[in-house]
């Protein structure tokens, strides 16, 4: 899923102005959520020294599920809560 804006290139001042717009704000919040989930899952996996395959095995998920979660900015659907819980307790 590609946002209409490139949030990473906005200055703080530009972001403050744009956040007044509801559509922008909703896109920004979704992008922030996607970025946060994907980076945290990948950081946790790397901290443990696991491959995507190892994390998938430990969390009883398919490798493709891990790949999608670590690349949420490219995919339309967000993971379900039970999937995130399975990763968290792995």
């Amino acid at each position: 899923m590609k946002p209409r804006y490139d949030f990473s290139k906005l200055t703080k001042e530009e972001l403050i102005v744009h956040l007044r717009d509801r559509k922008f704000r909703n896109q920004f919040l979704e992008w922030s959520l996607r970025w946060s989930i994907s980076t945290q899952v990948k950081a946790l996996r790397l901290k443990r020294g696991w491959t995507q395959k190892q994390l998938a095995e430990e969390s009883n998920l398919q490798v493709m599920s891990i790949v999608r979660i670590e690349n949420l900015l490219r995919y339309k659907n967000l993971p379900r809560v039970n999937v995130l819980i399975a990763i968290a307790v792995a």
Side-chain angles (χ1 to χ4, degrees), residues 7-57:
F7 301 113
S8 63
K9 295 187 179 183
L10 293 175
T11 66
K12 181 180 177 182
E13 292 77 21
E14 290 171 327
L15 183 60
I16 290 169
V17 169
H18 284 301
L19 284 172
R20 293 184 184 124
D21 176 50
R22 180 180 290 224
K23 286 183 180 180
F24 178 91
R25 190 170 52 246
N26 289 342
Q27 275 196 332
F28 179 75
L29 290 172
E30 183 176 344
W31 177 85
S32 298
L33 177 65
R34 289 173 178 278
W35 183 85
S36 180
I37 291 170
S38 62
T39 55
Q40 288 181 40
V41 168
K42 186 172 184 177
L44 176 64
R45 176 178 64 77
L46 294 175
K47 183 178 179 182
R48 293 181 178 169
W50 288 353
T51 64
Q52 289 175 330
K53 183 178 180 182
Q54 287 172 308
L55 178 55
E57 290 170 356

Side-chain angles (χ1 to χ4, degrees), residues 1-7 27 30-31 34 72-76:
M1 175 179 176
K2 186 168 177 150
R4 205 170 76 185
Y5 305 95
D6 186 354
F7 301 113
Q27 275 196 332
E30 183 176 344
W31 177 85
R34 289 173 178 278
L72 277 178
L73 294 177
R74 296 181 189 167
Y75 294 95
K76 182 177 180 180

